[in-house]
Amino acid sequence: MATSLAEENYLKIIYRLCEGTKEGISTNSIAELINNKAASVTDMLQKMAEKGWVTYQKYQGVRLTEIGQNIALSIIRKHRLWEVFLVEKLGYNWDEVHEIAEQLEHIESETLINKLDSFLDFPKIDPHGDPIPSQEGEIPELEYLHLSEVKLNETCTLMGVAKDSAVFLQLLTKLNLSLGARLEVVEINTFDRSISLKIAEEKPIFISHEVAKNILVKI
Amino acid sequence: MATSLAEENYLKIIYRLCEGTKEGISTNSIAELINNKAASVTDMLQKMAEKGWVTYQKYQGVRLTEIGQNIALSIIRKHRLWEVFLVEKLGYNWDEVHEIAEQLEHIESETLINKLDSFLDFPKIDPHGDPIPSQEGEIPELEYLHLSEVKLNETCTLMGVAKDSAVFLQLLTKLNLSLGARLEVVEINTFDRSISLKIAEEKPIFISHEVAKNILVKI
DNA sequence: ATTAATTTTTAGGCTAGACTAAAAATTAAT
DNA sequence: ATTAATTTTTAGTCTAGCCTAAAAATTAAT
């Protein structure tokens, strides 16, 4: 069944919210992320339930069905592949590509996305370190730690970010924190949980707990 | 002012129809190309006239204003650049790219299209030989002849096509007629105006007047 | 120069997807 | 265990962009 632009955006957001929990996703939380009023969301959820993309019970929130999840994954796949294209081929910075990929992810053509995948050499992660689902909807499960969980004096590699707002990414860029960087936690302040961090062999920089929480690393 | 998808499609089609004539473009001719009913077209034309993109007088047809023309040209620029990308970088054939480019042409980002332009090395023509408008809306005016106008025993180079339907392009491909081919008209049948044609030094092939009319060449 | 045929416009509807305001259900607080 | 606060749903509107049917204007034909 064909999906409209509005429906695709709902599916994507519900997918993201489902990831964190086994509970039903609340109307309000969707409304907030999609920037609509709750009444409009209720409306759409009922239509999507009829199409079999979500299970929905009044006042109990929604969850994606198998089908809904597959549609969501294919949109996410497209979004992330286009982001790789924008950064790798067109020379964008990682904080500039989100808006454009939001549009490109809705281009409908199975062959296009597979040719793009091949042109990009089958990347496994996007410019923010997020995994790219396969054509079959499989996500390479990479278990990363949040930098905030790394112990004192341990060394790790920056593998991704848990948030891809432009301001956050620009901050990382300014701090010289990029994908693949080798990091050593040289101090943890118990007061505010801020961290002192060595990047490669440079002199240490300070980052807040809030920032550390949104950086994903591998030991 | 922002343009909707529907509006962009109207502008594109009106632009194409304006090219052929100085007259007002008829409601019916637009309706046919855009696959809507005449009543819907009238409706849209009146809205677009209010926005200043067309001049419209009841029963007299429309023409694009300067502004309307510039919007149309920017869409055409995007369409043709994306077609180059699809053929040159992703390996599509020239008869496969139209539908996908119809979607990609609506992606909104000034920087994107300029970066794409540069990535593709500032192509001047698309895979069908159509000129790509510049950022300023200038079209490199290439005056080509229709192959049907070439005189007996003259030699010419295939520079483009006047029609880009998939069936036509597939026919050309089958006949080994591709952009840049050297052609010699070795026979013209007065009866049906069909042509006998040498491609490079191969043995001659026959093509109908209808086909010859849609092939653009340079002497 | 009327009449006939064609084209275009108007008028009134429809659907998707948003909205507001009010009603109903759920959750929290006394 | 009621009452209060919050969340969600229903009911009724609105706009963009399409439709059909009928009216009006234009063009063609006798």
Side-chain angles (χ1 to χ4, degrees), chain B residues 10-11 14 44-54:
Chain B
Y10 272 93
L11 288 169
I14 297 169
M44 182 58 103
L45 295 183
Q46 289 172 345
K47 286 176 195 163
M48 296 196 347
E50 270 182 27
K51 300 193 179 188
W53 300 337
V54 297

Side-chain angles (χ1 to χ4, degrees), chain A residues 177-194:
Chain A
L177 285 163
S178 56
L179 243 49
R182 286 299 288 168
L183 310 177
E184 187 186 344
V185 176
V186 294
E187 192 183 346
I188 301 177
N189 295 94
T190 43
F191 170 60
D192 60 357
R193 298 196 285 170
S194 66

Side-chain angles (χ1 to χ4, degrees), chain B residues 9-58:
Chain B
N9 286 329
Y10 272 93
L11 288 169
K12 218 177 37 167
I13 278 169
I14 297 169
Y15 179 89
R16 249 173 61 195
L17 292 169
C18 277
E19 273 190 312
T21 170
K22 271 279 173 194
E23 308 282 297
I25 303 308
S26 79
T27 304
N28 254 3
S29 62
I30 298 169
E32 202 171 317
L33 280 177
I34 215 164
N35 254 305
N36 282 352
K37 292 299 149 88
S40 313
V41 174
T42 300
D43 219 66
M44 182 58 103
L45 295 183
Q46 289 172 345
K47 286 176 195 163
M48 296 196 347
E50 270 182 27
K51 300 193 179 188
W53 300 337
V54 297
T55 56
Y56 167 76
Q57 299 181 85
K58 276 191 193 183

